[in-house]
Amino acid sequence: MAEVLSQNEIDALLAAMSSGGIQAKPVEEEQKRVKVYDFKRALRFSKDQIRSLFRIHESFSRLLTTFLSAQLRTSVHVHVASVDQLPYEEFMRSIPEMTILASFEGSTLNGRMLLEMNPQITFAMLNRYFGGTVALNYVERKTGLTEIETVVLERIFTRFLHVFHDAWKDLIEIDPMLLELETNPQFMQIVPPNETVIVVSFSVRIGESTGIMNLCLPYIALEPIIPKLTAHQWMSQQRKTDSSEDVALLKGSVKRIDLPLIVELGRASITIEEFLCLEAGDIIQLNQPIDASLNVRIGPNVKFLGRPGTKKGHIAVRIEKVLDEGVEDNE
């Protein structure tokens, strides 16, 4: 508690100040902190919403890495470099004059969105698709894409949008659809120049080729789902994802994988001379008794035993036994 001065002490203090015995300290004026605000660059997304967008597109980058690695059969790495909000005009000035732009729209979102890819990685992908290597030095071209390159890129970007849908599906069903490809940014005005957009920049490495891929999401497109881009909403949406649904999705994906199935009627060993002398009507005796079960192979491994027969006029095999893991052959 502060000490209360008596009247005598107050009079003595004032007298000392008048005679110069005590130097009064000047009152420091509070410095006003002025923050510059650019009305042309309005910040419409909070930091929390930016973090949610970052997490969504981190998932997109991981899915895209897996997809491209399988398609190109080479080392591919995609990761989120930054998530920024800026005017559309500023974004268009930041990209090269010669680049690859794909516009698309979502069924549940308003307006168009853009996916921009640096030619360095675009032509590395095309070269790999056409059977070449990704270790090439990109030379800037004055002309646009050929008809074949356009068709292939449309297929690639369409698959990209499928991956984009998978990254967003826990929050909203987007169902994106590719609209057009363009190489000149001046012909791709999807929103007014001063409209705020979210630009998600990805660093992409395909083999030895590296480049930047940008995803441009206008405010008008994201406006219907902005309330969902909060940490609380994001975490609650993540908790809604049931592990059983993930298992079912994984099983569905595995079931669509093609595997070779081979039914062995038996084996026989002959010499090259006997093989060269084979004629129509010759009989090759197999090592398999006529009443024995046949080996049914999945890939190189024997997984089932079965009996040959017919069904509705077609050659068929009836599975009689499922073999344990590790059984390689039925002698």
Side-chain angles (χ1 to χ4, degrees):
M1 182 175 179
E3 184 180 356
V4 179
L5 300 178
S6 65
Q7 186 61 45
N8 292 334
E9 290 173 333
I10 293 174
D11 294 340
L13 182 60
L14 292 174
M17 292 180 62
S18 300
S19 62
I22 297 178
Q23 296 293 333
K25 295 182 179 180
V27 178
E28 295 181 357
E29 295 184 1
E30 183 180 356
Q31 295 182 354
K32 295 182 179 179
R33 295 182 178 180
V34 179
K35 185 178 180 180
V36 177
Y37 185 83
D38 186 357
F39 286 93
K40 293 183 178 180
R41 189 169 180 169
L43 302 180
R44 298 190 175 185
F45 296 88
S46 66
K47 293 182 179 179
D48 195 19
Q49 292 164 348
I50 294 293
R51 283 192 291 268
S52 296
L53 289 169
F54 186 91
R55 287 191 289 266
I56 291 172
H57 292 98
E58 269 191 327
S59 175
F60 175 61
S61 66
R62 289 192 296 269
L63 294 172
L64 197 58
T65 297
T66 303
F67 164 71
L68 286 176
S69 298
Q71 288 291 308
L72 304 180
R73 300 182 183 275
T74 188
S75 173
V76 177
H77 183 70
V78 182
H79 74 272
V80 181
S82 64
V83 179
D84 302 300
Q85 52 178 321
L86 63 157
Y88 179 71
E89 183 181 22
E90 186 174 333
F91 164 66
M92 297 305 286
R93 289 200 305 265
S94 66
I95 60 180
E97 293 182 0
M98 168 59 186
T99 188
I100 310 300
L101 289 161
S103 67
F104 63 97
E105 63 181 5
S107 59
T108 55
L109 301 179
N110 301 322
R112 294 194 296 170
M113 294 161 279
L114 283 181
L115 183 63
E116 184 266 334
M117 186 175 292
N118 190 282
Q120 180 73 28
I121 54 175
T122 303
F123 288 102
M125 281 195 309
L126 286 174
N127 196 47
R128 186 64 179 171
Y129 265 96
F130 294 150
T133 64
V134 292
L136 78 164
N137 294 321
Y138 169 71
V139 179
E140 186 174 354
R141 292 163 46 168
K142 301 298 182 181
T143 59
L145 299 170
T146 65
E147 292 184 8
I148 295 178
E149 290 172 341
T150 301
V151 171
V152 174
L153 279 179
E154 285 177 350
R155 294 179 180 177
I156 294 174
F157 281 118
T158 299
R159 296 295 299 273
F160 277 20
L161 296 182
H162 292 166
V163 177
F164 184 74
H165 165 267
D166 292 340
W168 277 83
K169 67 180 180 181
D170 289 339
L171 191 66
I172 186 174
E173 286 288 338
I174 295 180
D175 295 329
M177 180 178 65
L178 182 66
L179 297 178
E180 61 175 322
L181 290 181
E182 184 57 63
T183 58
N184 190 339
Q186 295 181 357
F187 299 144
M188 195 65 76
Q189 296 294 326
I190 61 172
V191 290
N194 292 332
E195 177 70 24
T196 301
V197 297
I198 287 290
V199 177
V200 186
S201 297
F202 301 88
S203 176
V204 183
R205 186 181 74 246
I206 302 176
E208 299 177 4
S209 300
T210 59
I212 297 295
M213 181 179 72
N214 292 307
L215 185 62
C216 176
L217 307 174
Y219 173 81
I220 190 174
L222 298 179
E223 189 175 11
I225 62 169
I226 284 180
K228 297 183 178 181
L229 296 175
T230 61
H232 175 73
Q233 181 72 22
W234 173 259
M235 295 303 295
S236 63
Q237 195 70 32
Q238 288 294 314
R239 287 193 291 268
K240 290 180 183 178
T241 304
D242 190 2
S243 59
S244 61
E245 294 180 359
D246 295 338
V247 172
L249 181 62
L250 182 59
K251 286 183 177 179
S253 299
V254 171
K255 287 178 180 179
R256 291 194 295 269
I257 298 175
D258 293 330
L259 290 175
L261 186 144
I262 300 173
V263 180
E264 288 186 351
L265 297 178
R267 297 183 181 183
S269 297
I270 61 175
T271 64
I272 294 178
E273 182 178 2
E274 291 172 335
F275 173 73
L276 295 175
C277 294
L278 285 176
E279 296 180 357
D282 288 348
I283 297 175
I284 300 176
Q285 184 175 356
L286 305 179
N287 64 344
Q288 187 85 348
I290 192 170
D291 57 347
S293 299
L294 302 180
N295 291 336
V296 181
R297 294 181 179 271
I298 303 297
N301 301 325
V302 178
K303 294 298 181 183
F304 310 99
L305 296 179
R307 293 275 184 177
T310 60
K311 184 175 182 180
K312 295 181 180 180
H314 298 283
I315 297 175
V317 61
R318 183 179 65 193
I319 301 299
E320 294 185 327
K321 183 179 180 181
V322 179
L323 301 180
D324 296 332
E325 290 293 330
V327 177
E328 298 295 334
D329 210 339
N330 179 37
E331 296 295 342

